[in-house]
């Protein structure tokens, strides 16, 4: 599977918006997108002035969402196909599936500074899901699921700092920073997505 190894900040510049891939850096003065909001490359400014075709807009929207959630093309296509089989608007169902990935839930609960960090933490088995081992970032959570930091990992420096931080979690999640636990209390709705996404463009692209 192809793996992106270049600077994450280039992805934000390429998509023309913040994808919040670097945690606190994205909201600081060090943010590369704030300092240089042009498309990477020698002809960055020229590319920004070009008129983007309908296909180009659809492709960029798909790439933006893939990069924000950290999934590859094959996996992203599966989310679309799964959403198409379920009831409801395909675009909204697809975003709900992405939001309910375990790594994204860890990030949204505030246990990680970015989705990439959350993915690494899950892979390193720092959490349990309903009391059982959970080391697959793409695992789908459902209403009633409880995510906990493992007892022998609670003294990890990553979590010690959280107790003094006031976090704002989405309304479909519930976090207890003292116990380092989180609970899924509802399914995410369209308004709960923290990124500006035009999902209809992605659906149009895949429907061709």
């Amino acid at each position: 599977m192809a793996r992106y190894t270049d600077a994450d900040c280039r992805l934000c510049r390429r998509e023309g918006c913040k994808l919040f891939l670097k945690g606190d850096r994205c909201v600081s003065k060090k943010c590369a997108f704030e300092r240089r909001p042009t498309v990477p490359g020698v002809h960055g400014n020229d590319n920004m002035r070009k008129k983007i075709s309908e296909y180009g807009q659809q492709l960029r929207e798909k790439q933006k969402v893939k990069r924000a959630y950290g999934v590859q093309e094959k996996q992203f296509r599966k989310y679309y196909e799964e959403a198409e089989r379920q009831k409801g608007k395909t675009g909204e169902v697809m975003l709900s599936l992405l939001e309910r990935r375990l790594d994204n839930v860890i990030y949204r609960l505030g246990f990680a500074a970015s989705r990439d960090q959350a993915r690494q933490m899950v892979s390193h088995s720092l959490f349990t899901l309903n009391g059982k081992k959970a080391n697959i970032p793409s695992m789908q959570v459902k209403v009633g699921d409880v995510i906990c930091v493992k007892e022998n990992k609670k003294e990890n420096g990553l979590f010690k700092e959280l107790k003094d931080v006031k976090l704002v979690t989405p309304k479909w999640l519930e976090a207890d920073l003292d116990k380092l636990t989180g609970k899924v209390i509802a399914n995410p709705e369209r308004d709960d997505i923290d990124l500006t996404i035009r999902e209809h463009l992605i659906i149009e692209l895949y429907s061709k």
Side-chain angles (χ1 to χ4, degrees):
M1 180 174 70
R3 183 169 176 268
Y4 180 78
T5 57
D6 211 334
D8 287 336
C9 295
R10 288 176 64 89
L11 298 181
C12 296
R13 291 174 56 205
R14 180 63 188 90
E15 302 309 332
C17 67
K18 287 189 178 185
L19 302 179
F20 299 98
L21 304 175
K22 298 289 287 184
D24 293 338
R25 185 185 179 92
C26 297
V27 292
S28 71
K29 293 181 180 179
K30 294 181 179 180
C31 175
F33 180 76
E34 292 286 352
R35 291 187 288 112
R36 194 179 177 189
T38 57
V39 177
V42 179
H43 303 291
N45 287 321
D46 295 336
N47 290 331
M48 290 184 70
R49 287 192 288 266
K50 286 182 179 178
K51 184 177 179 180
I52 304 177
S53 66
E54 180 182 357
Y55 171 76
Q57 293 179 39
Q58 295 167 350
L59 180 62
R60 290 267 58 86
E61 202 66 24
K62 183 194 72 168
Q63 293 295 88
K64 178 173 74 175
V65 178
K66 277 174 51 183
R67 287 167 171 173
Y69 285 97
V71 297
Q72 299 295 328
E73 176 61 35
K74 186 176 180 180
Q75 192 175 25
F76 191 77
R77 179 83 190 207
K78 286 182 178 179
Y79 283 119
Y80 162 73
E81 292 172 349
E82 175 62 26
E84 209 175 23
R85 289 192 291 268
Q86 296 187 21
K87 293 181 180 179
K89 294 182 179 179
T90 303
E92 293 183 8
V93 175
M94 181 181 69
L95 292 179
S96 177
L97 291 170
L98 289 165
E99 277 290 295
R100 287 188 284 120
R101 283 174 55 98
L102 180 58
D103 56 357
N104 181 72
V105 172
I106 298 298
Y107 164 67
R108 299 282 264 152
L109 283 169
F111 293 155
S114 66
R115 290 181 176 89
D116 187 52
Q117 185 185 49
R119 191 158 40 252
Q120 187 177 49
M121 291 164 75
V122 173
S123 297
H124 290 175
S125 300
L126 300 190
F127 299 92
T128 61
L129 180 63
N130 299 325
K132 298 180 180 178
K133 180 180 178 180
N135 61 354
I136 302 174
S138 62
M139 290 176 70
Q140 287 281 301
V141 302
K142 58 184 183 298
V143 177
D145 281 353
V146 177
I147 299 99
C148 302
V149 175
K150 283 185 175 180
E151 283 297 326
N152 62 345
K153 303 294 183 181
K154 288 185 176 181
E155 295 304 312
N156 190 306
L158 291 169
F159 303 120
K160 281 185 176 180
E161 301 172 0
L162 292 177
K163 295 185 179 180
D164 299 321
V165 177
K166 187 175 181 180
L167 299 173
V168 178
T169 55
K171 63 180 184 290
W172 59 283
L173 295 172
E174 189 176 78
D176 186 332
L177 295 184
D178 290 326
K179 296 181 180 179
L180 292 176
T181 64
K183 185 175 182 180
V184 183
I185 58 176
N187 283 319
E189 298 179 358
R190 180 62 185 86
D191 294 340
D192 296 321
I193 309 298
D194 64 342
L195 296 168
T196 302
I197 298 171
R198 296 176 293 172
E199 66 272 16
H200 68 278
L201 293 179
I202 303 172
I203 304 307
E204 289 170 6
L205 178 65
Y206 278 135
S207 297
K208 291 181 178 179

